[in-house]
Amino acid sequence: VDAMQKSGSTITQASVASAIKGITTFDADGLIAPANPGGKLGTHCVVMAAVQHGQWVRLDPPASGFDCSGEYHLIPLSQVEH
């Protein structure tokens, strides 16, 4: 949507692709870890979460935001299947 809004009054595939190049930070309003779509760079940040009793809960720190350490944390399957 950001790229389409920046594409101008006539939206084409080329105008959207061009507009994406100018978007250097995207996080879907905090839903995902920041990425750089214009630079074709994803993120290495993660959050480990699961639904427990109908609510999303974090299974691994940090308490808020994303873990951007680049390390993989093994979560035992027994903690995920509640």
Side-chain angles (χ1 to χ4, degrees), residues 24-44:
T24 57
T25 302
F26 178 77
D27 68 358
D29 294 325
L31 181 64
I32 61 173
N36 177 352
K40 298 182 181 180
L41 298 171
T43 182
H44 65 274

Side-chain angles (χ1 to χ4, degrees), residues 6-56:
K6 294 179 183 198
S7 292
S9 59
T10 303
I11 298 172
T12 64
Q13 182 178 1
S15 67
V16 173
S18 179
I20 287 174
K21 292 177 184 176
I23 300 174
T24 57
T25 302
F26 178 77
D27 68 358
D29 294 325
L31 181 64
I32 61 173
N36 177 352
K40 298 182 181 180
L41 298 171
T43 182
H44 65 274
C45 302
V46 297
V47 63
M48 298 297 288
V51 177
Q52 293 180 356
H53 308 290
Q55 299 290 319
W56 282 103

